[in-house]
């Protein structure tokens, strides 16, 4: 009768007997219309017929929906007649499985009416179909919320104690759907739901037992529910299920509940005392069902978070079991076993177990799995195994783990990337393994993780760079791969760990001048400076990284801090820009050289290199024109020409140019300026020409060289800082005459007198105001057409000129001294010397005393740093 409705009609006025009337599907509409009848018996018979019709299949439910049967039926849920109400409830129990009907029921807001049918006084049949209706509706989130808000959870829990198995099944199914929502789950302890759920384990119907276990598996994610389960001896019930072989279809869900409960410390103690942990091992070892193995491994993982349990598991040799599970065909089991291993590694004895090439090769193989989750779990286990354990790190490398780990860095799963980066970092702590990692193009592989939006991935990637960029070749690869920009950007992170690890990586990368200069060009110094000004954002690594960059950028360091230590060796390209405040732009030397002269402070340049050879036609002349030309006296050139000079290429960075590495390879004289042989002829050449002809040729030279450096004569020539032949001669002279002196005190005195002589000689204190050094500097700026003046060109200098020249020359001949900037144009040099009484004494010496070198009033005199005389020199 799939398309027929059979009904008996009974008139209220007189009794008429009809034979059963068969109505074809096109007549079903007539029955639907009868749902509006005032006659109770007609309503009851119509509902009964519609129930039978709907029971035949989904197509009939759709037909009833289209005929508009749902809305009049909702009114019958509250009908006074029990039979009518029962039959209407039965219809909705069946109809609610249809998605379109569910949608319409939500719109008609029938939850109150359906939940009312769960009242204790109602018949069992009504309970059965009302709970069935709610079970069907609760599969969707919106209906879950409506059932909960209308108080449907409490009567459902009460019905778990119903004698009817169908009512129990429908009620626990509905509760299972409802507790997927956190609000519903949090309400269960108040409603004392655990005891009636545990009672369902005694049911003879497996589906009811299974639904009860699934419900417990969800609600035991909450601490209060776990405590209630423990207080109601729930663990005993679960252990009994595991012990019953005939209930093996329930073991998977029972293990899942136990795994959740093991997060509770008291439950952990209880299950350990009852021998439950050993049973977990038995299931993990002996079961051949993947899901049982998986859940047993998950339970072991949860239990292993407690140190005592880790110790117990190790004594039971759980490691062997977990290694066996790694070979399972089920990816879920592999994942669970890997996670268990990662937790067991917290036990040092367990970690040592894997030292014997057991487990690590299997985990490395899992790194090559097609399943991303498997790779992530295996990488996590290896990360924990190799942390603070060089033996395990070596074992992972020997198992050919480096290549798959590097490949995982391009994974789409953030966890996998972070774990792989951690393993590589642990490996890179050993120099031999670090070389192997670098050979796998690690720097290029880390570019993606550096750009990640995940802060954990960012942090781990930066830490890996800090561990692997320990040599110049690796740092160069990082720079060439474009890794510096994203690394520097991580310095701006609001996450403390990301910022700390990025600072660490920058600190490592700033190990050579080329990288330091590139980092500065990209703005790392400014960002680190900003970080260090914040009490909450700065860290030890940011401070060290900032200082390391400054130590490779001495010009900026001196401008910002006003101090260079004896370890800060001034090299070619250093320039004194003057004092600047934090955050002020520090102009590169090239930009400063190309600026027109102005009334700002003179920039002092130290440069003993000369990359410019004058053209043959001008070689016989000393020139005093704009930059790009050598500016020197003939006597300086003659002195400089006494020793052969080798020229080396200059490097220009954002901070200037020059390299400490290059400086170390220079001859002992510290010079590398090429001087033309014709310089010795300069004097005779001048004597043979008249004054006017000399001036005319001089102007021609100026025009020729200026045009040449403007790009017309040699457009392809790389820019170089202005040469300073006078300073080259100074270096040569002090190397020849002062370096051989064996007594350090005498060396200092001799160098001080030499510097004073070159800077205008001794100046009495009462004559200091008459020393016209400002005019001399202004003339030099005018002649050079720039604010940048080479230090060797200054013949009248005061405190800060002399102190810079003294430091620059002292660094060339190995005299340790510092350079300190004071106020009002003051600067001085500090040196450390032993007292005469300390010489020859071995052991137990007090620290050497600090002195200030007088370069002005009594050149060569040494004043104790804390003396009044030194204070007057520095401040008065």
């Amino acid at each position: 009768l799939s398309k027929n409705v059979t009904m008996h009609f009974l008139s209220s006025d007189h009794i008429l007997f009809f034979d059963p009337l068969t109505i074809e599907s096109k007549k079903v509409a007539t029955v639907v219309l009868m749902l509006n009848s005032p006659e109770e018996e007609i309503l009851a018979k119509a509902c009964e017929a519609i129930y039978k019709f709907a029971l035949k299949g989904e197509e009939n439910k759709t037909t009833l929906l289209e005929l508009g049967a749902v809305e009049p039926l909702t009114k019958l849920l509250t009908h006074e007649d029990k039979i009518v109400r029962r039959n209407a409830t039965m219809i909705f129990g069946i109809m609610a499985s249809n998605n379109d009907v569910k949608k319409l029921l939500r719109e008609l807001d029938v939850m109150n009416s359906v939940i009312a049918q769960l009242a204790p006084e109602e018949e069992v049949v009504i309970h059965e179909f009302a709970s069935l209706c709610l079970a069907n509706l609760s599969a969707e989130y919106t209906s879950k919320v409506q059932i909960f808000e209308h108080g449907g959870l409490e009567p459902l829990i009460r019905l778990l104690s119903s004698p009817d198995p169908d009512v129990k099944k429908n009620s626990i199914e509905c509760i299972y759907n409802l507790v997927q929502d956190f609000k519903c789950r949090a309400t269960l302890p108040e409603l004392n739901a655990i005891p009636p759920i545990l009672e369902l384990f005694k049911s003879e119907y497996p589906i009811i037992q299974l639904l009860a276990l699934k419900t417990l598996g969800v609600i035991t994610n909450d601490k209060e529910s776990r405590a209630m389960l423990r207080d109601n001896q729930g663990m005993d019930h679960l252990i009994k299920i595991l012990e019953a072989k005939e209930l093996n279809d329930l073991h998977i869900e029972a293990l899942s509940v136990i795994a959740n409960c093991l997060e509770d410390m008291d439950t952990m103690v209880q299950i350990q005392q009852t021998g439950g942990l050993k049973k977990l091992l038995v299931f993990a070892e002996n079961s051949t069902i993947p899901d049982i193995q998986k859940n047993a491994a998950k339970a072991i993982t949860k239990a292993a978070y407690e140190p005592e349990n880790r110790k117990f598991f190790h004594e039971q040799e759980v490691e062997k079991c977990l290694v066996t599970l790694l070979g399972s065909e089920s990816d879920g089991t592999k994942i669970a076993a890997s996670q268990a291993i990662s937790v067991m590694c917290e036990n040092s004895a367990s970690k040592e177990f894997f030292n014997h090439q057991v487990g690590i090769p299997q985990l490395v193989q899992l790194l090559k799995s097609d399943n991303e989750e498997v790779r992530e779990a295996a990488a996590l286990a290896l990360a924990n195994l190799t942390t603070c354990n060089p033996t395990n790190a070596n074992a992972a490398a020997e198992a050919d783990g480096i290549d798959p780990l590097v490949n995982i860095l391009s994974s789409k799963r953030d966890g996998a990337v972070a774990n792989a980066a951690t393993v590589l970092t642990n490996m890179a702590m050993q120099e031999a393994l670090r070389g192997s990692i670098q050979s796998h193009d690690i720097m290029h592989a880390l570019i993606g993780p550096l750009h990640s939006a995940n802060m954990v991935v960012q942090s781990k990637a930066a830490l890996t760079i800090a561990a692997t960029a320990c040599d110049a070749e690796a740092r160069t690869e990082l720079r060439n791969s474009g890794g510096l920009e994203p690394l520097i950007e991580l310095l701006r992170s609001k996450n403390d760990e990301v910022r700390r690890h990025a600072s660490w990586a920058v600190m490592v990368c700033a190990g050579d001048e080329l990288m330091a200069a590139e980092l500065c060009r990209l703005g790392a110094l400014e960002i680190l400076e900003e970080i260090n000004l914040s009490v909450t954002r700065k860290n030890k690594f940011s401070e060290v990284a900032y200082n390391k960059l400054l130590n490779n950028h001495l010009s900026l360091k001196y401008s910002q801090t006003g101090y260079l230590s004896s370890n800060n060796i001034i090299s070619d390209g250093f320039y004194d820009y003057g004092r600047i405040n934090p955050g002020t732009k520090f102009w590169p030397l090239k930009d400063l050289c190309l600026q027109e002269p102005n009334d700002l402070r003179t920039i002092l340049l130290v440069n003993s290199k000369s990359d410019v050879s004058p053209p043959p036609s001008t070689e016989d002349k000393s020139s005093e024109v704009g930059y790009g030309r050598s500016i020197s006296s003939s006597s300086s050139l003659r002195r400089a020409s006494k020793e052969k000079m080798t020229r080396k290429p200059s490097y220009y960075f954002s901070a200037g140019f020059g390299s400490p590495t290059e400086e170390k390879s220079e001859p002992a004289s510290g010079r590398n300026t090429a001087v033309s042989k014709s310089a010795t002829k300069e004097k005779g050449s001048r004597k043979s020409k008249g004054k006017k002809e000399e001036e005319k040729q001089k102007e021609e030279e100026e025009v020729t060289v200026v045009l040449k450096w403007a790009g017309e004569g040699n457009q392809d020539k790389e820019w170089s800082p202005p040469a300073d032949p006078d300073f080259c001669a100074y270096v040569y002279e002090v190397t020849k005459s002062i370096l051989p002196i064996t007594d350090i005190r005498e060396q200092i005195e001799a160098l001080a007198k030499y510097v004073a002589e070159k800077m205008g000689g001794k100046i009495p204190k009462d004559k200091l105001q008459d020393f016209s050094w400002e005019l001399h500097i202004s003339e030099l700026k005018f002649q050079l057409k720039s604010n940048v003046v080479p230090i060797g060109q200054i013949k009248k200098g005061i405190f800060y000129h002399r102190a810079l020249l003294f430091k620059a020359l002292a660094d060339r001949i190995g005299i340790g001294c510092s350079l300190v900037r004071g106020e009002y144009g003051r600067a001085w040099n500090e040196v450390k010397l032993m007292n005469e009484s300390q010489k020859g004494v071995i052991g137990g010496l007090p620290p050497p005393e600090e002195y200030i070198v007088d370069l002005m009033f009594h050149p060569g005199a040494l004043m104790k740093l804390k003396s009044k005389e030194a204070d007057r020199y520095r401040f008065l």
Side-chain angles (χ1 to χ4, degrees), residues 7 9 97 254 263 294 436 505 575 586 607 612 617 782 830 867:
M7 296 182 56
F9 296 97
S97 64
E263 293 183 17
K294 177 184 70 175
S436 299
Y575 58 104
F586 185 78
N607 182 24
V612 182
S617 61
F782 177 76
E830 297 175 2
S867 65

Side-chain angles (χ1 to χ4, degrees), residues 299-370:
I300 292 171
T301 302
K302 297 284 183 66
Y305 283 110
E306 173 58 34
E308 288 298 320
N309 292 335
R310 286 198 296 269
K311 182 179 178 181
F312 170 80
F313 283 141
H314 175 66
E315 292 170 353
Q316 300 296 319
E317 296 185 329
V318 70
E319 296 90 353
K320 291 182 180 179
C321 170
L322 295 175
V323 171
T324 302
L325 294 182
L326 291 177
S328 170
E329 294 181 0
S330 166
D331 285 344
T333 303
K334 293 174 184 176
I335 293 168
S338 299
Q339 291 170 342
I341 290 173
S342 67
V343 177
M344 283 298 299
C345 289
E346 296 294 325
N347 181 280
S348 58
S350 290
K351 187 176 284 190
E352 290 175 6
F353 173 86
F354 294 98
N355 288 348
H356 308 292
Q357 293 291 318
V358 180
I360 290 180
Q362 290 89 331
L363 288 168
V364 169
Q365 286 301 313
L366 295 184
L367 295 176
K368 304 172 186 177
S369 171
D370 294 332

